[in-house]
Amino acid sequence: MKPSKPLLLGLGMLALAGCDNAEQAAASFAEKVEKAAVEQARESFGETVKELDKQVEQLNDKIDQAQEGTQEWLKQAQPKPEDEQPQQDTEKSGKPQTLIET
């Protein structure tokens, strides 16, 4: 065997070992990048959910205000008890009341 063959074989082994180390480093780096991306996505999602909660709260407040306004409007639109009294008397007897003058 020529003296250069063991030297080339040794260099080849070092190169393969270097490739393995590079592969492990790349895998470790990719894992760290993935974790950072997941954490960033969680934070971003959390902020989005918080903003949506604020918007839902505002919408609920507006709906409550609209319901209160509608209830007030309905109360104002109802006939007054004085207006209902003659109609109720007529409905009970089944025939209209007539005034008799003597």
Side-chain angles (χ1 to χ4, degrees), residues 23-39:
E23 182 181 351
Q24 288 177 355
S28 175
F29 179 72
E31 185 177 328
K32 288 178 184 177
V33 168
E34 180 182 2
K35 286 180 182 179
V38 167
E39 184 62 30

Side-chain angles (χ1 to χ4, degrees), residues 46-99:
E47 291 298 318
T48 301
V49 168
K50 286 179 186 177
E51 185 62 33
L52 286 175
D53 283 343
K54 288 179 187 176
Q55 291 177 0
V56 167
E57 180 100 17
Q58 291 173 350
L59 179 61
N60 285 336
D61 289 341
K62 288 181 181 180
I63 289 172
D64 290 342
Q65 291 172 358
Q67 286 176 337
E68 289 172 5
T70 302
Q71 288 174 352
E72 289 177 17
W73 180 78
L74 286 173
K75 286 178 185 177
Q76 291 174 357
Q78 289 179 346
K80 295 178 182 171
E82 302 88 41
D83 295 342
E84 292 180 7
Q85 191 65 29
Q87 292 175 354
Q88 289 176 355
D89 292 341
T90 304
E91 292 173 4
K92 287 180 185 175
S93 65
K95 53 185 172 181
Q97 291 181 337
T98 56
L99 294 176

